[in-house]
Amino acid sequence: MRVAVVFFEGKNREKTLGIARALAQGIESQGHQVDIIDGDHDVNSKLTIYQYIAYGTSAMNYFGGKIAEKALKFVGGAGVVAGKRSFAFAVKGGMRITKTLSAIMKVMEQEGMYLKYSEVLSSPTEAEAIGKRLHID
């Protein structure tokens, strides 16, 4: 299966990138083809060709709840995503990170994506373990 791991940097690009790479590595270990898409730089990427989408970011500030404007608009212009199975993730940092995760999930559900799972990820090791356990098929 083709899987996209889409991430937005939020307040800590290196940590978010490391978690996205580890998540992709865990998913690849299941035998899937994974592409990592940097939503901040790959603005014209289309998600239509993917059967499963992992979508996440870190909070924009310490108090959580706010996500990047690009993360709000990206999925709307990324082709046909309605009905696609997906995983929402937020990179741990600051307070109220579950509010950040909720904001990500709301954006995905508004576009008709079918959320199978969501998680707050704190480290690349944890992200890889989650990637190995995701039920993608």
Side-chain angles (χ1 to χ4, degrees), residues 26-59:
I27 295 170
E28 283 177 341
S29 72
Q30 293 186 42
H32 302 290
Q33 179 184 351
V34 182
D35 294 326
I36 299 174
I37 299 171
D38 182 344
D40 293 305
H41 296 95
D42 303 331
V43 293
N44 293 324
S45 296
K46 299 298 180 197
L47 301 177
T48 305
I49 62 172
Y50 299 99
Q51 288 83 29
Y52 194 94
I53 301 167
Y55 197 80
T57 186
S58 61

Side-chain angles (χ1 to χ4, degrees), residues 18-125:
I19 286 177
R21 285 181 177 158
L23 181 63
Q25 187 175 1
I27 295 170
E28 283 177 341
S29 72
Q30 293 186 42
H32 302 290
Q33 179 184 351
V34 182
D35 294 326
I36 299 174
I37 299 171
D38 182 344
D40 293 305
H41 296 95
D42 303 331
V43 293
N44 293 324
S45 296
K46 299 298 180 197
L47 301 177
T48 305
I49 62 172
Y50 299 99
Q51 288 83 29
Y52 194 94
I53 301 167
Y55 197 80
T57 186
S58 61
M60 289 298 296
N61 57 31
Y62 179 76
F63 296 105
K66 288 185 121 183
I67 59 175
E69 189 69 27
K70 290 179 183 180
L72 294 170
K73 295 182 178 182
F74 180 88
V75 74
V80 179
V81 294
K84 300 234 185 230
R85 291 175 294 154
S86 58
F87 165 64
F89 68 94
V91 177
K92 188 170 185 169
M95 298 170 53
R96 301 181 350 178
I97 193 65
T98 55
K99 189 167 182 174
T100 302
L101 182 59
S102 179
I104 296 166
M105 292 166 57
K106 183 178 178 182
V107 168
M108 295 169 73
E109 288 173 342
Q110 284 176 342
E111 292 300 324
M113 296 172 80
Y114 176 59
L115 277 164
K116 300 273 293 172
Y117 189 63
S118 63
E119 187 72 50
V120 174
L121 302 174
S122 58
S123 70
T125 306

